[in-house]
Amino acid sequence: MSRIEWVVGSCRLLGAISDAFDSSQPFAGKRIGTGIHLEPKTVALLMTLRRGGAEVVSTGNLGSTQLDAVEYLRAKGVHVVGGPTIDPEEHDAYLREVLSSEPDILLDNGGDLFVRYLESPYGHLLGGTEETTSGRMRLAPLRDRIGRPLLVINDSAIKQFAENYHAVGQSVLESFLRITNRITNGRRVLVFGYGACGKGVAVSFKNAFATVAVVDPDPLKRLEAHLDGFLVPERAEALSWAEVAITVAGATGVLTADDLAGLGDGVILANAGHFPAEIDVAGMKTHPSIVGAHNSAEGIETIVLEDRRRVHILTGGHMVNLNGPRPLGNSIESMDLGFALQARCLEAVALGKVPPSEVVVPVPRWIEEDVANAYLAGLRGRAPARR
Ligand SMILES: NC(=O)c1ccc[n+]([C@@H]2O[C@H](COP(=O)([O-])OP(=O)(O)OC[C@H]3O[C@@H](n4cnc5c(N)ncnc54)[C@H](O)[C@@H]3O)[C@@H](O)[C@H]2O)c1
């Protein structure tokens, strides 16, 4: 069995929704356009939408597309535009090609599709979903212009605790170990951003016996991090202290070339935020103080400063848990929960169950409760049979 089939077969919630969609066909006659990380778990989601009668036109996200996922989807009748790329212009052309098919519904990830839709809108767009924090921040100011139901999966309670908190932390830790093969015990780890994802990253490294510090411009977040048992040094002090620095802030330029002067020798930098702009890798590599750069191992690029300090950058600043050798991303169960929300939200939009006033809003409570109950019911099924 291939890894994709293992993942698809392990998505219990999506499997049950697919079975229901076989008869209800909520997307019959409708085209769903998407630009999302193309990897085995999104394959399970897109196949569920197909089972619901949708024609699916998809491209990937920048820097995370997995070729086997693309090939699998194409074999199953999904129209996949383009392939793996880290070139923003090429990616932009793929997104525009998805939109040129004028989908009835958009499943967006990072706001890429809705932002471009507004450049040349068409009348029959019913609405859609947005997966991420970064996308919500981009789309919220555009509410009036979008004017259609748009549900933000990230802003559901389930995604916040199941994926952002629990799963991102685990998979970033798993990725650090897998890519660097370095110890975490006693290591000084600095986390930029103490939102749901940053909290999970911080606690996962703490549970792996690292000493963890947090930098966040929000004093409430710093206070919370302190009460949770993390160090909260000033930014400059934290930079020189860190042996590992991880950005997960949903912001641009969290670490830039200006920070090179303050970093310790051998520091490892990684990004877990959605866009590869949290660490300005290009700016660092072209800074006048850099005298050399080389690949140290798959997924690790080392830049050398004129004073001989070395800075190791993981996966070119792209999301560390979806890149590097054999990337796995977040746990299957956490993504099954989030993608069950996706499938049920897209169904609600397709069936006109979400009023047009609900633009860039969290997932309706009734959908969250349905998904939570479905997951919990499955746990009962796992108990050993009574004699
Ligand atoms: N890697 C993954 O699998 C994965 C999964 C889900 C979300 N994400 C992404 O992770 C990022 C964070 O998501 P979240 O839900 O935790 O966001 P959030 O908005 O809840 O928290 C972000 C935190 O970062 C802080 N911040 C902003 N700018 C900062 C800076 N320059 N330095 C330090 N801290 C800063 C904010 O004050 C806030 O506390 C987003 O880009 C999101 O899309 C990644």
Side-chain angles (χ1 to χ4, degrees), residues 55-90:
E55 179 193 340
V56 178
V57 183
S58 178
T59 192
N61 276 175
L62 198 59
S64 62
T65 300
Q66 297 180 17
L67 210 49
D68 55 347
V70 172
E71 285 164 1
Y72 186 95
L73 285 168
R74 284 192 176 134
K76 297 285 182 185
V78 171
H79 178 183
V80 182
V81 174
T85 180
I86 54 167
D87 177 352
E89 281 182 26
E90 201 175 2

PDB file of all heavy atoms in Angstrom, residues 55-90:
ATOM      1  N   GLU A  55     -16.369  18.869  -9.356  1.00  0.00           N
ATOM      2  CA  GLU A  55     -15.212  18.888 -10.254  1.00  0.00           C
ATOM      3  C   GLU A  55     -14.161  19.711  -9.508  1.00  0.00           C
ATOM      4  O   GLU A  55     -14.451  20.815  -9.055  1.00  0.00           O
ATOM      5  CB  GLU A  55     -15.599  19.567 -11.568  1.00  0.00           C
ATOM      6  CG  GLU A  55     -14.459  19.648 -12.547  1.00  0.00           C
ATOM      7  CD  GLU A  55     -14.770  20.588 -13.707  1.00  0.00           C
ATOM      8  OE1 GLU A  55     -15.959  20.879 -13.969  1.00  0.00           O
ATOM      9  OE2 GLU A  55     -13.801  21.060 -14.325  1.00  0.00           O
ATOM     10  N   VAL A  56     -12.973  19.167  -9.322  1.00  0.00           N
ATOM     11  CA  VAL A  56     -11.963  19.869  -8.516  1.00  0.00           C
ATOM     12  C   VAL A  56     -10.815  20.331  -9.420  1.00  0.00           C
ATOM     13  O   VAL A  56     -10.249  19.537 -10.168  1.00  0.00           O
ATOM     14  CB  VAL A  56     -11.422  18.960  -7.390  1.00  0.00           C
ATOM     15  CG1 VAL A  56     -10.340  19.677  -6.588  1.00  0.00           C
ATOM     16  CG2 VAL A  56     -12.562  18.522  -6.454  1.00  0.00           C
ATOM     17  N   VAL A  57     -10.522  21.643  -9.334  1.00  0.00           N
ATOM     18  CA  VAL A  57      -9.364  22.208 -10.048  1.00  0.00           C
ATOM     19  C   VAL A  57      -8.406  22.731  -8.981  1.00  0.00           C
ATOM     20  O   VAL A  57      -8.780  23.594  -8.189  1.00  0.00           O
ATOM     21  CB  VAL A  57      -9.783  23.368 -10.975  1.00  0.00           C
ATOM     22  CG1 VAL A  57      -8.573  23.885 -11.750  1.00  0.00           C
ATOM     23  CG2 VAL A  57     -10.874  22.921 -11.923  1.00  0.00           C
ATOM     24  N   SER A  58      -7.201  22.182  -8.961  1.00  0.00           N
ATOM     25  CA  SER A  58      -6.314  22.487  -7.839  1.00  0.00           C
ATOM     26  C   SER A  58      -4.904  22.812  -8.301  1.00  0.00           C
ATOM     27  O   SER A  58      -4.401  22.252  -9.271  1.00  0.00           O
ATOM     28  CB  SER A  58      -6.253  21.264  -6.904  1.00  0.00           C
ATOM     29  OG  SER A  58      -5.360  21.514  -5.844  1.00  0.00           O
ATOM     30  N   THR A  59      -4.276  23.706  -7.548  1.00  0.00           N
ATOM     31  CA  THR A  59      -2.834  23.815  -7.635  1.00  0.00           C
ATOM     32  C   THR A  59      -2.293  23.739  -6.208  1.00  0.00           C
ATOM     33  O   THR A  59      -3.064  23.639  -5.258  1.00  0.00           O
ATOM     34  CB  THR A  59      -2.388  25.102  -8.359  1.00  0.00           C
ATOM     35  OG1 THR A  59      -0.984  24.997  -8.643  1.00  0.00           O
ATOM     36  CG2 THR A  59      -2.636  26.354  -7.529  1.00  0.00           C
ATOM     37  N   GLY A  60      -0.955  23.755  -6.069  1.00  0.00           N
ATOM     38  CA  GLY A  60      -0.372  23.621  -4.738  1.00  0.00           C
ATOM     39  C   GLY A  60      -0.136  24.971  -4.093  1.00  0.00           C
ATOM     40  O   GLY A  60      -0.651  25.996  -4.558  1.00  0.00           O
ATOM     41  N   ASN A  61       0.600  24.957  -2.988  1.00  0.00           N
ATOM     42  CA  ASN A  61       1.100  26.181  -2.368  1.00  0.00           C
ATOM     43  C   ASN A  61       2.589  26.280  -2.718  1.00  0.00           C
ATOM     44  O   ASN A  61       3.214  25.309  -3.163  1.00  0.00           O
ATOM     45  CB  ASN A  61       0.926  26.153  -0.853  1.00  0.00           C
ATOM     46  CG  ASN A  61      -0.469  26.596  -0.407  1.00  0.00           C
ATOM     47  OD1 ASN A  61      -0.795  26.535   0.758  1.00  0.00           O
ATOM     48  ND2 ASN A  61      -1.298  27.038  -1.325  1.00  0.00           N
ATOM     49  N   LEU A  62       3.144  27.466  -2.483  1.00  0.00           N
ATOM     50  CA  LEU A  62       4.546  27.696  -2.812  1.00  0.00           C
ATOM     51  C   LEU A  62       5.445  26.774  -1.986  1.00  0.00           C
ATOM     52  O   LEU A  62       5.396  26.781  -0.757  1.00  0.00           O
ATOM     53  CB  LEU A  62       4.864  29.162  -2.505  1.00  0.00           C
ATOM     54  CG  LEU A  62       6.091  29.794  -3.123  1.00  0.00           C
ATOM     55  CD1 LEU A  62       6.043  29.737  -4.642  1.00  0.00           C
ATOM     56  CD2 LEU A  62       6.209  31.242  -2.653  1.00  0.00           C
ATOM     57  N   GLY A  63       6.220  25.955  -2.694  1.00  0.00           N
ATOM     58  CA  GLY A  63       7.289  25.216  -2.024  1.00  0.00           C
ATOM     59  C   GLY A  63       6.884  23.968  -1.265  1.00  0.00           C
ATOM     60  O   GLY A  63       7.717  23.387  -0.577  1.00  0.00           O
ATOM     61  N   SER A  64       5.630  23.524  -1.342  1.00  0.00           N
ATOM     62  CA  SER A  64       5.257  22.358  -0.532  1.00  0.00           C
ATOM     63  C   SER A  64       4.622  21.228  -1.347  1.00  0.00           C
ATOM     64  O   SER A  64       4.238  20.207  -0.778  1.00  0.00           O
ATOM     65  CB  SER A  64       4.290  22.781   0.586  1.00  0.00           C
ATOM     66  OG  SER A  64       3.111  23.301   0.026  1.00  0.00           O
ATOM     67  N   THR A  65       4.514  21.392  -2.677  1.00  0.00           N
ATOM     68  CA  THR A  65       3.826  20.381  -3.478  1.00  0.00           C
ATOM     69  C   THR A  65       4.640  19.097  -3.582  1.00  0.00           C
ATOM     70  O   THR A  65       5.829  19.124  -3.894  1.00  0.00           O
ATOM     71  CB  THR A  65       3.562  20.937  -4.900  1.00  0.00           C
ATOM     72  OG1 THR A  65       2.750  22.096  -4.774  1.00  0.00           O
ATOM     73  CG2 THR A  65       2.857  19.923  -5.773  1.00  0.00           C
ATOM     74  N   GLN A  66       3.982  17.971  -3.309  1.00  0.00           N
ATOM     75  CA  GLN A  66       4.651  16.668  -3.410  1.00  0.00           C
ATOM     76  C   GLN A  66       4.204  15.985  -4.700  1.00  0.00           C
ATOM     77  O   GLN A  66       3.006  15.822  -4.958  1.00  0.00           O
ATOM     78  CB  GLN A  66       4.342  15.815  -2.183  1.00  0.00           C
ATOM     79  CG  GLN A  66       4.883  16.452  -0.894  1.00  0.00           C
ATOM     80  CD  GLN A  66       4.598  15.632   0.354  1.00  0.00           C
ATOM     81  OE1 GLN A  66       4.272  14.455   0.281  1.00  0.00           O
ATOM     82  NE2 GLN A  66       4.721  16.267   1.508  1.00  0.00           N
ATOM     83  N   LEU A  67       5.208  15.563  -5.492  1.00  0.00           N
ATOM     84  CA  LEU A  67       4.925  15.045  -6.831  1.00  0.00           C
ATOM     85  C   LEU A  67       4.025  13.810  -6.804  1.00  0.00           C
ATOM     86  O   LEU A  67       3.138  13.660  -7.647  1.00  0.00           O
ATOM     87  CB  LEU A  67       6.249  14.722  -7.530  1.00  0.00           C
ATOM     88  CG  LEU A  67       6.278  14.848  -9.048  1.00  0.00           C
ATOM     89  CD1 LEU A  67       5.687  16.175  -9.513  1.00  0.00           C
ATOM     90  CD2 LEU A  67       7.699  14.692  -9.560  1.00  0.00           C
ATOM     91  N   ASP A  68       4.239  12.921  -5.818  1.00  0.00           N
ATOM     92  CA  ASP A  68       3.403  11.709  -5.800  1.00  0.00           C
ATOM     93  C   ASP A  68       1.937  12.049  -5.525  1.00  0.00           C
ATOM     94  O   ASP A  68       1.026  11.394  -6.049  1.00  0.00           O
ATOM     95  CB  ASP A  68       3.939  10.662  -4.804  1.00  0.00           C
ATOM     96  CG  ASP A  68       4.110  11.189  -3.384  1.00  0.00           C
ATOM     97  OD1 ASP A  68       4.047  12.417  -3.187  1.00  0.00           O
ATOM     98  OD2 ASP A  68       4.289  10.368  -2.481  1.00  0.00           O
ATOM     99  N   ALA A  69       1.709  13.119  -4.740  1.00  0.00           N
ATOM    100  CA  ALA A  69       0.333  13.551  -4.482  1.00  0.00           C
ATOM    101  C   ALA A  69      -0.302  14.075  -5.766  1.00  0.00           C
ATOM    102  O   ALA A  69      -1.465  13.779  -6.075  1.00  0.00           O
ATOM    103  CB  ALA A  69       0.304  14.623  -3.400  1.00  0.00           C
ATOM    104  N   VAL A  70       0.479  14.839  -6.528  1.00  0.00           N
ATOM    105  CA  VAL A  70      -0.023  15.382  -7.802  1.00  0.00           C
ATOM    106  C   VAL A  70      -0.386  14.234  -8.753  1.00  0.00           C
ATOM    107  O   VAL A  70      -1.469  14.219  -9.357  1.00  0.00           O
ATOM    108  CB  VAL A  70       1.035  16.297  -8.452  1.00  0.00           C
ATOM    109  CG1 VAL A  70       0.618  16.712  -9.853  1.00  0.00           C
ATOM    110  CG2 VAL A  70       1.284  17.514  -7.579  1.00  0.00           C
ATOM    111  N   GLU A  71       0.510  13.275  -8.848  1.00  0.00           N
ATOM    112  CA  GLU A  71       0.268  12.151  -9.782  1.00  0.00           C
ATOM    113  C   GLU A  71      -0.956  11.340  -9.361  1.00  0.00           C
ATOM    114  O   GLU A  71      -1.786  10.958 -10.187  1.00  0.00           O
ATOM    115  CB  GLU A  71       1.511  11.260  -9.852  1.00  0.00           C
ATOM    116  CG  GLU A  71       2.615  11.920 -10.666  1.00  0.00           C
ATOM    117  CD  GLU A  71       3.989  11.275 -10.449  1.00  0.00           C
ATOM    118  OE1 GLU A  71       4.071  10.310  -9.671  1.00  0.00           O
ATOM    119  OE2 GLU A  71       4.955  11.770 -11.053  1.00  0.00           O
ATOM    120  N   TYR A  72      -1.090  11.129  -8.057  1.00  0.00           N
ATOM    121  CA  TYR A  72      -2.231  10.362  -7.541  1.00  0.00           C
ATOM    122  C   TYR A  72      -3.536  11.092  -7.868  1.00  0.00           C
ATOM    123  O   TYR A  72      -4.504  10.500  -8.359  1.00  0.00           O
ATOM    124  CB  TYR A  72      -2.079  10.189  -6.028  1.00  0.00           C
ATOM    125  CG  TYR A  72      -3.113   9.293  -5.391  1.00  0.00           C
ATOM    126  CD1 TYR A  72      -2.851   7.948  -5.173  1.00  0.00           C
ATOM    127  CD2 TYR A  72      -4.352   9.798  -4.975  1.00  0.00           C
ATOM    128  CE1 TYR A  72      -3.785   7.122  -4.565  1.00  0.00           C
ATOM    129  CE2 TYR A  72      -5.295   8.978  -4.372  1.00  0.00           C
ATOM    130  CZ  TYR A  72      -5.004   7.648  -4.172  1.00  0.00           C
ATOM    131  OH  TYR A  72      -5.937   6.832  -3.577  1.00  0.00           O
ATOM    132  N   LEU A  73      -3.549  12.402  -7.592  1.00  0.00           N
ATOM    133  CA  LEU A  73      -4.775  13.182  -7.837  1.00  0.00           C
ATOM    134  C   LEU A  73      -5.142  13.160  -9.314  1.00  0.00           C
ATOM    135  O   LEU A  73      -6.314  13.000  -9.680  1.00  0.00           O
ATOM    136  CB  LEU A  73      -4.580  14.626  -7.360  1.00  0.00           C
ATOM    137  CG  LEU A  73      -4.629  14.826  -5.843  1.00  0.00           C
ATOM    138  CD1 LEU A  73      -4.133  16.218  -5.461  1.00  0.00           C
ATOM    139  CD2 LEU A  73      -6.052  14.615  -5.315  1.00  0.00           C
ATOM    140  N   ARG A  74      -4.130  13.337 -10.165  1.00  0.00           N
ATOM    141  CA  ARG A  74      -4.417  13.351 -11.615  1.00  0.00           C
ATOM    142  C   ARG A  74      -5.016  12.010 -12.042  1.00  0.00           C
ATOM    143  O   ARG A  74      -5.965  11.962 -12.816  1.00  0.00           O
ATOM    144  CB  ARG A  74      -3.150  13.650 -12.406  1.00  0.00           C
ATOM    145  CG  ARG A  74      -2.783  15.125 -12.332  1.00  0.00           C
ATOM    146  CD  ARG A  74      -1.704  15.522 -13.326  1.00  0.00           C
ATOM    147  NE  ARG A  74      -1.493  16.961 -13.246  1.00  0.00           N
ATOM    148  CZ  ARG A  74      -0.311  17.557 -13.201  1.00  0.00           C
ATOM    149  NH1 ARG A  74       0.797  16.847 -13.267  1.00  0.00           N
ATOM    150  NH2 ARG A  74      -0.226  18.868 -13.134  1.00  0.00           N
ATOM    151  N   ALA A  75      -4.457  10.921 -11.488  1.00  0.00           N
ATOM    152  CA  ALA A  75      -4.964   9.592 -11.846  1.00  0.00           C
ATOM    153  C   ALA A  75      -6.412   9.414 -11.386  1.00  0.00           C
ATOM    154  O   ALA A  75      -7.155   8.623 -11.958  1.00  0.00           O
ATOM    155  CB  ALA A  75      -4.078   8.519 -11.225  1.00  0.00           C
ATOM    156  N   LYS A  76      -6.803  10.166 -10.339  1.00  0.00           N
ATOM    157  CA  LYS A  76      -8.167  10.040  -9.799  1.00  0.00           C
ATOM    158  C   LYS A  76      -9.113  11.095 -10.382  1.00  0.00           C
ATOM    159  O   LYS A  76     -10.213  11.315  -9.874  1.00  0.00           O
ATOM    160  CB  LYS A  76      -8.146  10.185  -8.268  1.00  0.00           C
ATOM    161  CG  LYS A  76      -7.362   9.096  -7.560  1.00  0.00           C
ATOM    162  CD  LYS A  76      -8.117   7.782  -7.540  1.00  0.00           C
ATOM    163  CE  LYS A  76      -7.342   6.724  -6.798  1.00  0.00           C
ATOM    164  NZ  LYS A  76      -7.955   5.402  -6.847  1.00  0.00           N
ATOM    165  N   GLY A  77      -8.651  11.817 -11.407  1.00  0.00           N
ATOM    166  CA  GLY A  77      -9.567  12.728 -12.111  1.00  0.00           C
ATOM    167  C   GLY A  77      -9.603  14.144 -11.592  1.00  0.00           C
ATOM    168  O   GLY A  77     -10.464  14.933 -11.989  1.00  0.00           O
ATOM    169  N   VAL A  78      -8.664  14.500 -10.681  1.00  0.00           N
ATOM    170  CA  VAL A  78      -8.595  15.898 -10.247  1.00  0.00           C
ATOM    171  C   VAL A  78      -7.724  16.653 -11.248  1.00  0.00           C
ATOM    172  O   VAL A  78      -6.667  16.165 -11.657  1.00  0.00           O
ATOM    173  CB  VAL A  78      -7.998  16.002  -8.822  1.00  0.00           C
ATOM    174  CG1 VAL A  78      -7.726  17.452  -8.446  1.00  0.00           C
ATOM    175  CG2 VAL A  78      -8.938  15.357  -7.813  1.00  0.00           C
ATOM    176  N   HIS A  79      -8.190  17.838 -11.641  1.00  0.00           N
ATOM    177  CA  HIS A  79      -7.398  18.655 -12.566  1.00  0.00           C
ATOM    178  C   HIS A  79      -6.363  19.428 -11.740  1.00  0.00           C
ATOM    179  O   HIS A  79      -6.716  20.388 -11.051  1.00  0.00           O
ATOM    180  CB  HIS A  79      -8.327  19.607 -13.329  1.00  0.00           C
ATOM    181  CG  HIS A  79      -7.582  20.506 -14.264  1.00  0.00           C
ATOM    182  ND1 HIS A  79      -8.190  21.478 -15.018  1.00  0.00           N
ATOM    183  CD2 HIS A  79      -6.261  20.586 -14.576  1.00  0.00           C
ATOM    184  CE1 HIS A  79      -7.282  22.119 -15.724  1.00  0.00           C
ATOM    185  NE2 HIS A  79      -6.114  21.601 -15.470  1.00  0.00           N
ATOM    186  N   VAL A  80      -5.112  18.981 -11.773  1.00  0.00           N
ATOM    187  CA  VAL A  80      -4.055  19.667 -11.017  1.00  0.00           C
ATOM    188  C   VAL A  80      -3.292  20.579 -11.970  1.00  0.00           C
ATOM    189  O   VAL A  80      -2.742  20.122 -12.981  1.00  0.00           O
ATOM    190  CB  VAL A  80      -3.079  18.671 -10.349  1.00  0.00           C
ATOM    191  CG1 VAL A  80      -2.031  19.437  -9.545  1.00  0.00           C
ATOM    192  CG2 VAL A  80      -3.838  17.719  -9.430  1.00  0.00           C
ATOM    193  N   VAL A  81      -3.261  21.858 -11.626  1.00  0.00           N
ATOM    194  CA  VAL A  81      -2.560  22.841 -12.442  1.00  0.00           C
ATOM    195  C   VAL A  81      -1.114  22.939 -11.952  1.00  0.00           C
ATOM    196  O   VAL A  81      -0.871  23.124 -10.756  1.00  0.00           O
ATOM    197  CB  VAL A  81      -3.257  24.220 -12.314  1.00  0.00           C
ATOM    198  CG1 VAL A  81      -2.452  25.289 -13.046  1.00  0.00           C
ATOM    199  CG2 VAL A  81      -4.683  24.153 -12.818  1.00  0.00           C
ATOM    200  N   GLY A  82      -0.153  22.822 -12.876  1.00  0.00           N
ATOM    201  CA  GLY A  82       1.261  23.006 -12.521  1.00  0.00           C
ATOM    202  C   GLY A  82       1.805  21.867 -11.693  1.00  0.00           C
ATOM    203  O   GLY A  82       1.268  20.757 -11.670  1.00  0.00           O
ATOM    204  N   GLY A  83       2.900  22.157 -10.984  1.00  0.00           N
ATOM    205  CA  GLY A  83       3.574  21.145 -10.163  1.00  0.00           C
ATOM    206  C   GLY A  83       4.388  21.851  -9.098  1.00  0.00           C
ATOM    207  O   GLY A  83       4.170  23.030  -8.823  1.00  0.00           O
ATOM    208  N   PRO A  84       5.343  21.127  -8.479  1.00  0.00           N
ATOM    209  CA  PRO A  84       6.129  21.742  -7.414  1.00  0.00           C
ATOM    210  C   PRO A  84       6.896  22.970  -7.916  1.00  0.00           C
ATOM    211  O   PRO A  84       7.490  22.919  -9.000  1.00  0.00           O
ATOM    212  CB  PRO A  84       7.121  20.633  -7.024  1.00  0.00           C
ATOM    213  CG  PRO A  84       6.521  19.372  -7.536  1.00  0.00           C
ATOM    214  CD  PRO A  84       5.722  19.737  -8.741  1.00  0.00           C
ATOM    215  N   THR A  85       6.841  24.056  -7.166  1.00  0.00           N
ATOM    216  CA  THR A  85       7.635  25.231  -7.529  1.00  0.00           C
ATOM    217  C   THR A  85       7.939  26.066  -6.289  1.00  0.00           C
ATOM    218  O   THR A  85       7.149  26.095  -5.342  1.00  0.00           O
ATOM    219  CB  THR A  85       6.914  26.119  -8.577  1.00  0.00           C
ATOM    220  OG1 THR A  85       7.760  27.244  -8.882  1.00  0.00           O
ATOM    221  CG2 THR A  85       5.572  26.640  -8.079  1.00  0.00           C
ATOM    222  N   ILE A  86       9.086  26.736  -6.329  1.00  0.00           N
ATOM    223  CA  ILE A  86       9.374  27.725  -5.285  1.00  0.00           C
ATOM    224  C   ILE A  86       9.492  29.112  -5.919  1.00  0.00           C
ATOM    225  O   ILE A  86       9.929  30.070  -5.279  1.00  0.00           O
ATOM    226  CB  ILE A  86      10.667  27.383  -4.489  1.00  0.00           C
ATOM    227  CG1 ILE A  86      11.860  27.188  -5.440  1.00  0.00           C
ATOM    228  CG2 ILE A  86      10.482  26.163  -3.617  1.00  0.00           C
ATOM    229  CD1 ILE A  86      13.197  27.162  -4.713  1.00  0.00           C
ATOM    230  N   ASP A  87       9.084  29.200  -7.200  1.00  0.00           N
ATOM    231  CA  ASP A  87       9.156  30.469  -7.926  1.00  0.00           C
ATOM    232  C   ASP A  87       7.808  31.199  -7.778  1.00  0.00           C
ATOM    233  O   ASP A  87       6.785  30.739  -8.297  1.00  0.00           O
ATOM    234  CB  ASP A  87       9.453  30.173  -9.408  1.00  0.00           C
ATOM    235  CG  ASP A  87       9.463  31.439 -10.250  1.00  0.00           C
ATOM    236  OD1 ASP A  87       9.089  32.510  -9.720  1.00  0.00           O
ATOM    237  OD2 ASP A  87       9.809  31.345 -11.441  1.00  0.00           O
ATOM    238  N   PRO A  88       7.791  32.350  -7.067  1.00  0.00           N
ATOM    239  CA  PRO A  88       6.513  33.041  -6.830  1.00  0.00           C
ATOM    240  C   PRO A  88       5.773  33.399  -8.122  1.00  0.00           C
ATOM    241  O   PRO A  88       4.538  33.368  -8.162  1.00  0.00           O
ATOM    242  CB  PRO A  88       6.924  34.309  -6.071  1.00  0.00           C
ATOM    243  CG  PRO A  88       8.248  33.995  -5.474  1.00  0.00           C
ATOM    244  CD  PRO A  88       8.916  33.029  -6.409  1.00  0.00           C
ATOM    245  N   GLU A  89       6.503  33.729  -9.183  1.00  0.00           N
ATOM    246  CA  GLU A  89       5.813  34.108 -10.437  1.00  0.00           C
ATOM    247  C   GLU A  89       5.129  32.912 -11.073  1.00  0.00           C
ATOM    248  O   GLU A  89       4.007  32.998 -11.571  1.00  0.00           O
ATOM    249  CB  GLU A  89       6.819  34.718 -11.426  1.00  0.00           C
ATOM    250  CG  GLU A  89       7.117  36.159 -11.086  1.00  0.00           C
ATOM    251  CD  GLU A  89       8.068  36.798 -12.090  1.00  0.00           C
ATOM    252  OE1 GLU A  89       8.112  36.351 -13.250  1.00  0.00           O
ATOM    253  OE2 GLU A  89       8.770  37.735 -11.672  1.00  0.00           O
ATOM    254  N   GLU A  90       5.834  31.771 -11.067  1.00  0.00           N
ATOM    255  CA  GLU A  90       5.249  30.554 -11.622  1.00  0.00           C
ATOM    256  C   GLU A  90       4.006  30.159 -10.806  1.00  0.00           C
ATOM    257  O   GLU A  90       2.961  29.807 -11.359  1.00  0.00           O
ATOM    258  CB  GLU A  90       6.294  29.434 -11.551  1.00  0.00           C
ATOM    259  CG  GLU A  90       6.047  28.287 -12.501  1.00  0.00           C
ATOM    260  CD  GLU A  90       7.200  27.282 -12.455  1.00  0.00           C
ATOM    261  OE1 GLU A  90       8.161  27.456 -11.677  1.00  0.00           O
ATOM    262  OE2 GLU A  90       7.108  26.308 -13.196  1.00  0.00           O
TER     263      GLU A  90
END
